[in-house]
Amino acid sequence: NAGVTQTPKFRILKIGQSMTLQCTQDMNHNYMYWYRQDPGMGLKLIYYSVGAGITDKGEVPNGYNVSRSTTEDFPLRLELAAPSQTSVYFCASSPRDSGRRGQFFGPGTRLTVL
Amino acid sequence: GESVGLHLPTLSVQEGDNSIINCAYSNSASDYFIWYKQESGKGPQFIIDIRSNMDKRQGQRVTVLLNKTVKHLSLQIAATQPGDSAVYFCAENSGGSNYKLTFGKGTLLTVNP
């Protein structure tokens, strides 16, 4: 299994541009999550999904959108990028039967908005 | 609001010594606590978890202790190695059906050879 994969690894955007961060997992996990990590800080939850077709806001959802059309994919959309969205973005997943015990993380996407 | 925090932001140890990383939590309803290791440029990696009805759990070279009386969590790493150098996060699962985690800020562990 590849686990959780994210693309791209790095991206530089100009203010006002849009982009989609891709996330795919091959573990058949029901639950998927998007976090952002600012320098020297912990992870903050942006959006999460408990299954295909179901998404919900996390702690810091403003400026982002998500969709979950399949179990495997959970893309994160940034509309009108702002410098405050400069961060490292992590996607994670967890299984329904043992998800309370923790999540599996992807390698991250480092985004810079100039 | 509920939060998970760490007492020490940085910890420097000598190779072969034991390391102890501490974490305070405030949500008494949390039922699982998890420790993650994050190496530079990588995503967090699961180390060990502990359920709220336990006070100790051991893994390979790691032990997690949970003190619910003072809402304190610690990660002990035995015979610390240079490869253990990383940022360590504690996280709590506060229950509910969505398995959301609340993360602390992290402790940077540096192992000196």
Side-chain angles (χ1 to χ4, degrees):
Chain A
N1 287 349
V4 180
T5 57
Q6 294 182 239
T7 57
K9 292 188 185 300
F10 305 94
R11 184 71 185 269
I12 297 175
L13 285 181
K14 294 181 179 179
I15 294 173
Q17 287 185 318
S18 301
M19 77 165 293
T20 298
L21 282 67
Q22 301 293 343
C23 175
T24 299
Q25 54 91 8
D26 63 358
M27 299 173 282
N28 200 33
H29 286 172
N30 294 92
Y31 297 80
M32 296 188 74
Y33 312 82
W34 273 106
Y35 295 89
R36 60 176 287 171
Q37 184 178 36
D38 298 324
M41 302 294 288
L43 289 85
K44 294 189 181 297
L45 183 64
I46 305 172
Y47 270 95
Y48 67 97
S49 168
V50 300
I54 305 170
T55 63
D56 209 345
K57 296 178 181 179
E59 185 181 357
V60 289
N62 292 344
Y64 307 94
N65 278 301
V66 293
S67 59
R68 184 95 181 271
S69 57
T70 66
T71 298
E72 295 78 18
D73 301 306
F74 191 40
L76 177 72
R77 178 79 177 166
L78 278 73
E79 305 282 1
L80 299 175
S84 61
Q85 293 179 305
T86 294
S87 190
V88 181
Y89 291 84
F90 290 100
C91 179
S93 70
S94 63
R96 180 164 54 194
D97 55 349
S98 60
R100 203 173 303 284
R101 300 184 61 184
Q103 299 167 8
F104 296 83
F105 285 82
T109 294
R110 184 175 296 274
L111 175 67
T112 302
V113 182
L114 301 174
Chain B
E2 304 292 353
S3 65
V4 177
L6 295 169
H7 294 305
L8 297 173
T10 62
L11 178 65
S12 183
V13 301
Q14 291 298 123
E15 182 178 358
D17 287 351
N18 296 334
S19 303
I20 300 176
I21 300 170
N22 296 302
C23 178
Y25 67 94
S26 57
N27 187 350
S28 57
S30 293
D31 58 355
Y32 266 100
F33 301 89
I34 305 110
W35 280 100
Y36 285 93
K37 172 186 180 182
Q38 186 176 26
E39 296 175 280
S40 181
K42 297 184 178 180
Q45 179 185 7
F46 173 92
I47 302 173
I48 192 168
D49 65 344
I50 187 168
R51 194 171 180 178
S52 59
N53 63 354
M54 302 171 67
D55 53 18
K56 180 180 180 179
R57 187 157 190 240
Q58 288 185 295
Q60 187 176 11
R61 282 201 306 119
V62 295
T63 300
V64 56
L65 300 178
L66 176 62
N67 185 332
K68 293 181 289 293
T69 302
V70 295
K71 295 181 182 175
H72 184 267
L73 189 70
S74 69
L75 177 71
Q76 300 177 0
I77 304 174
T80 314
Q81 303 168 359
D84 294 326
S85 294
V87 176
Y88 290 81
F89 292 96
C90 62
E92 61 179 324
N93 188 312
S94 55
S97 59
N98 51 39
Y99 301 159
K100 289 193 291 183
L101 297 177
T102 301
F103 285 85
K105 292 185 178 180
T107 292
L108 174 61
L109 173 66
T110 301
V111 182
N112 302 309

